[in-house]
Every structure is written in structure tokens, then in C-alpha cells.
Amino acid sequence: MNPTSIATVSISGDLAEKLTAIAAAGFDGIEVFENDFLSFDGGPRDVGRMVADLGLKIYAFQPFRDFEGMPEPLRARTFARAGRKFEVMNELGAELMLICSNVSPQSQGGIDRAAADFAELGDLAKKHGVRVGYEALAWGRHVNDYRDAWEIVRRANHERIGLILDSFHTLARRSPLEPIASIPGDRIFLVQLADAPKLDMDVLSWSRHFRNFPGQGDLDVAGFVRAVAATGYSGPLSLEIFNDQFRAGSTKRLATDGLRSLIQLGDKVARLEAPARAEMPNRSPCLAVEFIEFALDEEPAHELAALFTALGFHQSGTHRSKAVTRWSQGGVNLIINTEKDGFAQSHAIMHGPGVCALALRVADVEATMARARALKVPTFEQRVGPGEMEIPAIRGVGGSLIYFTEPKGERSQSWENDFLPVEDDSDRPALLTGVDHISQSMDYDEMLSWLLFYTSLFALERIPQLAIADPAGLVESRPLVNADGSLRFILNGSQATRTLSSRFVSEHFGSGVQHIAFSAPDIFAAVTAMREAGLSFLDIPENYYDDLEARYDLDPAFLDRLREHHILYDRDGEAEFLQVYTHVFAQRFFFEIVERRDGYSGFGAVNAPVRLAAQAREARPVTVPRPLRED
């Protein structure tokens, strides 16, 4: 694997904080961004020592701007300025300086003129024992394509002058990748990587505000790296990210994300080239949600059990040694944990009542854990009682846990090993048959981190992100789905502080599961039975159904049933989606029941503003379900 590097501009914090986090994450080296150096309270030798003490290497000092093609006397000044920077580099211990293509309106074009400037600069660099790399900015005044930059380097014909390739500048301009293979690998001095979402905006603004780590955007960074690999280049792959969201994020988390992005990118490229030689297991295919665990105290636990009962669940098991119960229905298993010590209790103290853990059924637990460790995902272990099964786990959103089970064998025996069955004589048909999706709310600044976490570890694919209107602001929603639709996550975050998503995070000390959607084969039968059990649902205004009648040619009787049961409706072609919501439990989380018809694949996004407005009006805890009186 190529050495890993990151430009200090890519993450938040002061220079010392950045270097510490970069070293702790496991990078091999850095690019020192000049602004970070200029704002540091110490000299270049101090920075050099700090870098060396952390076990890092300086792969580049950057950027040097507006060099080539300048008329006199500006040309003489640029050479004098370069000489001073070379002296600084000698004290830093930096051996390569990045020069980006000129954007000055005073610069003059011409490949030969630029090549002559670089040939002369090469002589100056040799005297100082350093090298110079030339990079084509996508918005360069005369040079904005790596092919022109390479031609300048080739004509300069100097051992100290080489090319710097940048994935963003190449892919943003849709420059062809094939010509990269014709560049000699030893003439490429550095390769910089950045991804980005596809946006319709000028390339300078796009670059300065929306770059992100590989795997977080929409650019073909893997294709770019494959093209570079064909040259024989063996130097550093260095992240260079400009992102407003990153500037406000956690320094440590961003550094870890950066290295994780390079690891998953290397794995992706290896699988494209030679799958059999991949160094870690493939992304784990998730087969189902095994269980969802709720941590809370005894009093709210009784209320949650009553809510589960009204939703059609029955208590199917009691833990052999802990205050833990299992609730089942169809293919769904829910856990209520009221233990007074251990992880679940710690989670409840920190976050309040809510989901402390998920368990995913995967094809191969050991392979999933091996990939997680390779991606630097923190694992979790806790003491288990005699005879209890140890279920492998990793840390997930908000410090929660993700356990892993298998469909067969020892890893499938947790229920039999750890729980005593409880007989249920109700013999009721299942109203709900599975977990349709799990929605997690988080700080807006964390969304790209968890997007990378899920898509690099699991075989989940992104579908287009959504902007949902909450009465208090916009909520960004990023759905992730596996190949057969049996596992769906939705990541929600908002820059507005009073949206339902933001208040969930701020009022309950962190990110987590805000709502769970269950699938129903017949939503009308399910809701009818639940209402008979004493459950009420989120009130939907009459205006919604009047508009529904205007938008769709629905049978009046069908529309009346939607209205009566507070069910929301969406349609995509012939595919239909029906959804209904419980009230919010303990001002913390809520449930959704959905029915998908004829292959509907979305999430009813058109209905989200109506639901959010209804929840904002309600803003009260759920009433404990009680059976209806018979008069």
C-alpha cells in the first residue's frame, strides 16, 4: 500500500492538535499547509521536531501560488520568494514544495515560457536540496488540465521538477483518466485525493467548500487511483480537503475518517484490479436486523412494554440472569434492558431511555469483525455470565453498539443460550413482519462520518439524499439500503438548532436511533388491531387528505380509510406506500408502521413535512396504551 498522508488544512484544530490526531489515527505523514504553519507559535525547526516526535514525515509544504509566466519585475520576486520558502523547508525538514497553476491576471500563457521558468526554478531547488511539484488547478488561468501541467514538467526536463496529480481537479473537469497511464511514475511527485458530491456550481466554490473524503462523495476516485497505479507510482496518497463542515468537526474523528477513507479506497481499487489479492474481507452483506435493544429504568420500561403489547408484540423470553426481556412478533425481536449496571445502564444515564444497541445478522461474523478492525472501527467487549453467549460487537452511532449474529451455527444460538422462553397463549397473527428501516439522528457535522462508516463496512448503497422541511428548519436525510431492501438505515442531521432531529441530539446528549419503522403486510388490519388495544396515532390534519384527494385519483372509500386511521400515502407510478406514526415515547423516540406495495422503494419523503409539523404541534409524551372500554 502507498504511504498515507493528509494535508493539515483537511481537519479542524490548531497545528499541534491536528498533528496529534493525524499521528493517533495512523497516518504515515502530512502535507504542511502554509496557513497552519504561519499561525503556529514557533519556528520551522519546532514544527519539524514536533512532526518527527510523533513519528510522521512531511511529504509536502504547500501551496506556493502564482509562479509561472509572470512578467518582470514580478518574475524576479517570485524566484526570490521561492528561495525564502526553500530555506524554510530546509528547517522544517520538508523536501517537496507544491506549486499550483497560476491564477493571476498578470500572468502570461505559453507552455514553453512556463517550462523555462520551472527549469530555472529546478536549479534553485537543487541548491537547497528540495524538489518542486506542479499541480494544475481546475480554474487555473492558463493551465487547468493535468495534461498541460505534465507537458510543462516534461519540457522543463529537470530532475527536481515533477507533477502533482489531484483527483478533484481531474474529475471535476471530467478530464480523461486514460492519458495518466502514459506518465512515468517517477515523474509524479505526489498524488492528492478528494471526493465531492456532484453539484451544479462553479468549480472554485465547489472545491473550496464541498470536498470530502473518498467514499463520501460521487466522484470516481477509485478510477483515478487505478489510472495512477498504472504509472508505477509508489509515493504517498495524500488527502487534501476543503470543507466547511469539516472545519467545525472533531479533529480526532476527522483524522480517523480520513485514514478509514484511504483504507476503504485501497480495498476498492484492489478488488477492481485483483479481487483474490484483497487484504481484508469484502463489505459485509447484512441479512436482517436480529434485535433492537432498549435501555431504560423500570418505570418507563413498564410503559414501553405496554406500548410493545399494543403494537402486537408478546413477551417471548426472560434473560437467565439479567433484568432483560425479549419481545417478539413476526420476524422482529425487541429487547428491554433494565439492568442496574453494565453498558445498557451507562447508555441510559447518558442518553435517557432509548436504543442502546442493534444486532445485525450477517453472513460471516468473523469476516465482518476483521473488516471492522482493518477499518479502525472500535470494537466492544464486556463481561458475560456463566453459560451466556459472547456476541461480537462494535461501537456505532452515539456510542451505541452493533452486535453481529449469523443465520446458522453457534452465532445463531443467543436466544436459546441466554433466554428462558415465555409461553404466549394469545395465538395472535403477526401484525408486523419485519424492521423496514432504522432512522438515526446525529449532529450535522457527523453525517459524512457515519455515511463512510456504514458504506465502508457493510454492503449498503447510498440513494439520493433528501432535504426535508421541518417547521424549524431543513433536515438533511441520507438513506442507505442493501441490495434486496432487507436492511435500510436513514441518517438525519440539521444545521438548524430547533428541528426535531437537532433537539433529539441536543436534549438527549448525543446521536442515536430516533425512530424505527416496522413493515406490515396489511397496514389497515394492523392499525385497527392496535387501536382496539388502546393505541392512538399521530394526528394528521384534514387539509392533508383534501390535498391527497386532489393529487391522486383515489377511491373515496380508500381515502376515507386513510383519513380514519391517520395513515399517510405516497405513490410512485403503480407502487404505493402507506405509513402511520405513534406518538413520541418519553420525548425521545417513536415508531412507524409502513406497508410497501408493488415494489415501492422510497420512504414517503413527500409526507415528511406533514409528519414533522404534526409532531411539533404535539410535542408531548405518549399516553400508556390501555384497552378500550366496552360499553
Side-chain angles (χ1 to χ4, degrees), residues 459-482:
L460 295 170
E461 303 303 328
R462 294 176 292 163
I463 61 178
Q465 68 186 58
L466 305 167
I468 306 298
D470 182 288
L474 287 179
V475 177
E476 186 174 310
S477 187
R478 292 177 175 265
L480 304 169
V481 183
N482 69 351

Side-chain angles (χ1 to χ4, degrees), residues 270-283:
R271 292 180 187 283
L272 292 171
E273 293 287 340
R277 294 204 298 270
E279 295 183 358
M280 62 180 177
N282 200 359
R283 293 191 305 163

Side-chain angles (χ1 to χ4, degrees), residues 16 21 31 57 256 278 352 356 411 469 552 560 571 577 601:
E31 295 179 59
K57 180 178 179 180
T256 301
C356 66
R411 298 295 188 191
Y552 301 112
D560 287 343
R571 189 164 70 197
F577 187 62
S601 60

Side-chain angles (χ1 to χ4, degrees), residues 93-135:
E95 187 261 343
L96 176 66
M97 181 168 73
L98 179 151
I99 294 183
C100 47
S101 58
N102 208 321
V103 299
S104 171
Q106 297 172 293
S107 64
Q108 299 172 335
I111 286 180
D112 286 334
R113 177 184 288 108
D117 287 345
F118 275 105
E120 186 174 337
L121 185 64
D123 291 338
L124 182 61
K126 186 173 183 179
K127 292 178 181 177
H128 288 84
V130 299
R131 298 183 301 158
V132 172
Y134 183 46
E135 173 189 50

